[in-house]
């Protein structure tokens, strides 16, 4: 590609080049050095945008050109608060018809993700979506198929596979340091969000909000799950939230997910909105482990949470005490996903995060609910490229 190709030429080039290499290589997407800035638009300017906007602003390769929220004051407020100097819009139609951009970042209520991501792809935009990618596996699969057809990219949170602690655990497993693997466990909970009702409404729940991290970590480490058994429940039938007052809890606020992987490995995730945790949403000082992996000659324990970890304990000696490794997160933060995939589009380098993995996690969450409602074990169809590290 010429170093002086125009932005329009670049976008046309990426559209045609994607046909051969979509979902495998981003090499042909690389921008020439004098045009290395991806224009992004953020839709949903609530709580999590306070983490995304500053992180995106740390990247020289990314420029936030638009902010959108159906509560338009929020877009305007974030624009001022973070000195973004973006255009602001009150809905996706106005956003897509306004300032041109290359990638949409979806940070809205979970229930709106699928619909918004579809509109963005249809309008020719790449997408990074907060979890979940869509409300159901079939809706998510249709998005990935649409992206392929349109020669675009879509990715979904979480970004847990990016942490050096994930890489350490994956390499330890792949190098046989745990011997023959058999079992693993993950847990993540707190006492539930207090600001928005959507977390408790149909399509919300503790699985897509919290369990999703551990499911991504455990499948990322152990490989795709082949079958699921699950139990979910509502422990607190009512919640008080800032935007709607007292609401009925419809989506599960308590979930246990049992996953069967290859070679007889079984893992388990428990998540919920009723877990006392004195650390709340801050994990920096958390010293307990949230992920455990057991083999016949070694065990791993991830300290803190998989989205903000403080190291990994490897215990694989009969004579030496267990050792803490990889305390340093080397710049990894959980809110980095959009920045990293955006930069990968600019550089033409495939990111570690891949959409098939997000789709697999979505299928697991749906299967857990199906297992709860039918009492059955549910076989899965989706896979993703593995091992990831
Ligand atoms: N808050 C966190 O710390 C956090 C952390 C990680 C991930 N997430 C995820 O981020 C997403 C958003 O969570 P949040 O806590 O920021 O919620 P929030 O309620 O604070 O913000 C959501 C915003 O989206 C807007 N919105 C809803 N529908 C819209 C639409 N159709 N078009 C434009 N704007 C729309 C709302 O008006 C609101 O301002 C969820 O998927 C959540 O799971 C949140």
């Amino acid at each position: 590609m010429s170093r002086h190709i125009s932005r329009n030429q670049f976008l046309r080039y990426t559209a045609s080049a994607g046909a051969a290499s979509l979902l495998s290589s981003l090499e042909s997407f690389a921008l020439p050095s004098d045009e290395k800035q991806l224009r992004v638009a953020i839709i949903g300017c609530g709580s999590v945008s306070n983490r995304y906007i500053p992180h995106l602003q740390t990247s020289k390769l990314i420029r936030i050109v638009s902010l959108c929220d159906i509560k338009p004051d929020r877009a305007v407020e974030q624009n001022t608060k973070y000195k973004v100097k973006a255009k602001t819009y009150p809905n996706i139609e106005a956003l897509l018809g306004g300032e041109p951009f290359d990638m949409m970042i979806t940070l809205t209520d979970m229930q709106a993700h699928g619909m918004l991501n579809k509109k963005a792809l249809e309008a020719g935009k790449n997408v990074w979506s907060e979890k979940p990618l869509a409300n159901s596996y079939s809706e998510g699969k249709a998005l990935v198929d649409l992206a392929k057809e349109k020669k675009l990219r879509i990715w979904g949170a979480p970004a847990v596979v990016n942490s050096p602690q994930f890489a350490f655990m994956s390499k330890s497993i792949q190098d046989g340091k745990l011997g023959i693997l058999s079992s693993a466990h993950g847990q993540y909970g707190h006492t539930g969000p207090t600001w928005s009702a959507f977390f408790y409404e149909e399509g919300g729940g503790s699985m897509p909000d919290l369990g999703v991290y551990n499911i991504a970590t455990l499948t990322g480490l152990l490989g795709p799950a082949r079958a699921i058994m699950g139990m979910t429940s509502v422990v607190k039938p009512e919640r008080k939230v800032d935007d709607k007052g007292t609401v009925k809890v419809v989506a599960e606020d308590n979930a246990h997910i049992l996953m069967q992987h290859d070679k007889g490995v079984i893992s388990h995730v428990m998540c919920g909105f009723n877990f006392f945790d004195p650390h709340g949403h801050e994990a920096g000082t958390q010293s307990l482990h949230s992920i455990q992996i057991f083999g016949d000659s070694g065990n791993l324990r991830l300290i803190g949470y998989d989205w903000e970890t403080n190291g990994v304990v490897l215990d694989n000696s009969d004579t030496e005490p267990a050792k803490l490794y990889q305390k340093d997160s080397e710049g990894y933060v959980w809110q980095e996903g959009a920045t990293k995939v955006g930069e990968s589009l600019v550089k033409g380098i495939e990111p570690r995060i891949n959409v098939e993995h997000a789709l697999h996690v979505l299928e697991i969450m749906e299967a857990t609910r199906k297992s709860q409602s039918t009492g059955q074990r549910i076989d899965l169809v989706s896979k993703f490229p593995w091992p990831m590290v």
Side-chain angles (χ1 to χ4, degrees):
M1 192 195 304
S2 150
R3 282 180 59 79
H4 299 290
I5 191 169
S6 72
R7 173 164 293 280
N8 282 342
Q9 281 172 311
F10 158 68
L11 290 173
R12 278 203 301 278
Y13 182 81
T14 59
S16 61
S21 57
L22 193 83
L23 305 177
S24 59
S25 165
L26 276 181
E27 227 169 286
S28 54
F29 279 51
L31 276 175
S33 56
D34 54 351
E35 286 194 36
K36 283 193 177 207
Q37 264 206 336
L38 193 81
R39 300 163 304 177
V40 302
I42 293 177
I43 187 160
C45 295
S47 164
V48 83
S49 71
N50 290 303
R51 297 301 194 101
Y52 269 74
I53 294 171
H55 196 270
L56 288 159
Q57 287 174 322
T58 63
S59 176
K60 289 193 175 67
L61 304 184
I62 292 175
R63 186 158 47 96
I64 305 169
V65 297
S66 296
L67 296 171
C68 171
D69 200 296
I70 43 167
K71 293 178 178 164
D73 290 355
R74 291 192 172 183
V76 175
E77 274 165 29
Q78 296 301 67
N79 203 22
T80 310
K81 182 173 171 188
Y82 295 104
K83 301 183 176 64
V84 187
K85 296 187 185 133
K87 294 266 167 51
T88 59
Y89 299 97
N91 56 58
I92 188 160
E93 285 74 25
L95 175 75
L96 294 172
E99 183 73 14
F101 65 91
D102 307 311
M103 184 172 86
M104 186 168 91
I105 299 173
T106 308
L107 308 181
T108 67
D109 303 15
M110 296 190 264
Q111 293 83 348
H113 293 175
M115 173 272 286
L116 296 170
N117 294 340
K118 185 174 178 203
K119 286 187 178 173
L121 290 170
E122 280 170 343
K125 312 299 182 192
N126 299 290
V127 173
W128 166 268
S129 177
E130 252 305 331
K131 43 28 178 213
L133 205 58
N135 287 310
S136 65
Y137 174 70
S138 60
E139 189 186 23
K141 175 83 171 53
L143 289 177
V144 175
D145 291 346
L146 178 62
K148 271 187 204 173
E149 188 192 311
K150 304 275 276 178
K151 297 154 187 108
L152 294 163
R153 286 305 187 93
I154 178 167
W155 288 280
V160 284
V161 300
N162 280 359
S163 80
Q165 288 83 3
F166 176 90
F168 175 83
M169 291 196 291
S170 184
K171 276 186 210 139
S172 300
I173 291 169
Q174 296 304 319
D175 292 347
K177 292 196 173 145
L178 310 193
I180 297 170
L181 286 187
S182 58
S183 288
H185 167 75
Q187 82 217 23
Y188 180 27
H190 50 57
T191 46
T194 51
W195 52 95
S196 289
F198 74 82
F199 291 102
Y200 305 104
E201 292 169 344
E202 170 117 39
S206 62
M207 253 193 310
D209 193 44
L210 307 183
V212 65
Y213 293 95
N214 289 174
I215 300 171
T217 295
L218 290 179
T219 52
L221 292 173
L222 307 173
R226 305 299 178 187
I228 295 298
M229 288 188 82
M231 283 194 192
T232 66
S233 62
V234 173
V235 173
K236 282 199 191 117
E238 280 188 350
R239 292 270 174 165
K240 214 169 167 189
V241 283
D242 298 341
D243 64 339
K244 291 193 183 168
T246 301
V247 293
K248 192 167 177 283
V249 176
V250 176
E252 84 287 326
D253 65 359
N254 198 33
H256 283 230
I257 305 141
L258 207 51
M259 301 186 275
Q260 187 209 329
H261 307 262
D262 285 343
K263 298 187 179 168
V265 176
I266 299 170
S267 71
H268 170 261
V269 168
M270 66 183 216
C271 62
F273 289 147
N274 303 285
F275 288 19
F276 170 73
D277 178 0
H279 300 274
H281 293 276
E282 303 306 324
T285 52
Q286 179 62 270
S287 57
L288 296 175
H289 50 256
S290 64
I291 298 280
Q292 303 165 71
I293 318 270
F294 297 92
D296 65 356
S297 59
N299 306 325
L300 284 169
R301 294 194 297 275
L302 180 102
I303 305 302
Y305 294 110
D306 46 6
W307 49 272
E308 184 175 327
T309 105
N310 303 314
V312 180
V313 173
L314 171 62
D315 194 356
N316 66 347
S317 165
D318 289 326
T319 52
E320 299 294 316
K323 252 173 97 176
L324 177 62
Y325 293 89
Q326 197 59 58
K327 278 173 77 177
D328 188 354
S329 284
E330 297 169 8
Y332 159 82
V333 284
W334 61 265
Q335 63 269 39
E336 72 176 32
T339 310
K340 293 294 172 189
V341 302
E343 289 178 340
S344 77
L345 272 173
V346 176
K347 292 178 186 164
I349 298 168
E350 200 67 37
R352 186 180 295 161
I353 295 175
N354 72 69
V355 73
E356 289 95 338
H357 189 203
L359 207 51
H360 183 65
V361 172
L362 184 56
E363 191 187 14
I364 289 172
M365 295 191 289
E366 192 174 54
T368 303
R369 287 177 177 155
K370 197 167 169 196
S371 179
Q372 163 65 25
S373 64
T374 61
Q376 303 285 309
R377 167 195 173 100
I378 310 295
D379 289 329
L380 303 178
V381 296
S382 61
K383 293 181 194 139
F384 60 93
W386 186 82
M388 301 186 80
V389 182

